[in-house]
Amino acid sequence: MNASLELITGAAITDQQLAECAVLFSNHYGTWSEHVGKARAGKRIELSSDKLRAYLGSNGCIAVATCNKTIIGHVFATKLILDDECVIVWITQVVTHKDFRQGKVATRLMRLIVDYFSKMTTIKGFGVCTAN
């Protein structure tokens, strides 16, 4: 698999990219468990591009993997600014297309995020805050 990786930050994230990420999420993230009630149980968990943009906030970025011009994986991350000298990066969403799992797509995307933020001297830690 020959996927290309890209890191997109802040205002450079387009509505089209978020729409593609919303489709990926809605088709490949997962299904609701029986614990949410019969009405949702077994149905796909879906998110709109508007909801994804809200989750990103002003400090967010996305690492995306594409194959044949289609997004096959994404990792969302955001900075939590505690003060001028202390920033924590939270990875908030990890999704890989079901046909590309076990191919290290998510691993490569997470490394891209960590490498990008590690260059900033104010970054004091990383965390993963996702339901996966």
Side-chain angles (χ1 to χ4, degrees):
M1 186 260 324
N2 196 9
S4 61
L5 306 181
E6 179 182 12
L7 186 96
I8 311 157
T9 60
I13 301 167
T14 68
D15 291 339
Q16 177 63 33
Q17 289 162 327
L18 283 177
E20 290 178 39
C21 288
V23 168
L24 177 71
F25 181 96
S26 297
N27 291 326
H28 298 281
Y29 182 76
T31 58
W32 290 102
S33 77
E34 60 196 37
H35 301 291
V36 298
K38 290 182 181 180
R40 285 191 186 167
K43 293 183 179 173
R44 290 225 158 264
I45 301 169
E46 298 179 348
L47 280 179
S48 68
S49 56
D50 289 339
K51 192 66 111 171
L52 290 177
R53 181 156 314 271
Y55 287 154
L56 279 171
S58 60
N59 294 315
C61 71
I62 308 172
V64 295
T66 56
C67 185
N68 298 323
K69 298 182 181 179
T70 300
I71 294 177
I72 60 164
H74 70 241
V75 172
F76 280 49
T78 191
K79 294 185 295 186
L80 174 61
I81 301 170
L82 301 175
D83 61 41
D84 290 342
E85 296 181 13
C86 186
V87 176
I88 306 296
V89 176
W90 285 104
I91 292 174
T92 58
Q93 191 176 109
V94 179
V95 181
T96 303
H97 187 290
K98 66 180 179 72
D99 294 341
F100 294 90
R101 293 181 184 154
Q102 306 304 318
K104 304 272 186 210
V105 172
T107 301
R108 291 173 56 210
L109 290 171
M110 290 178 80
R111 282 189 184 140
L112 186 63
I113 295 278
V114 170
D115 289 348
Y116 171 75
F117 283 111
S118 292
K119 296 173 186 163
M120 299 176 189
T121 59
T122 57
I123 301 297
K124 301 301 180 195
F126 290 86
V128 177
C129 180
T130 178
N132 305 62

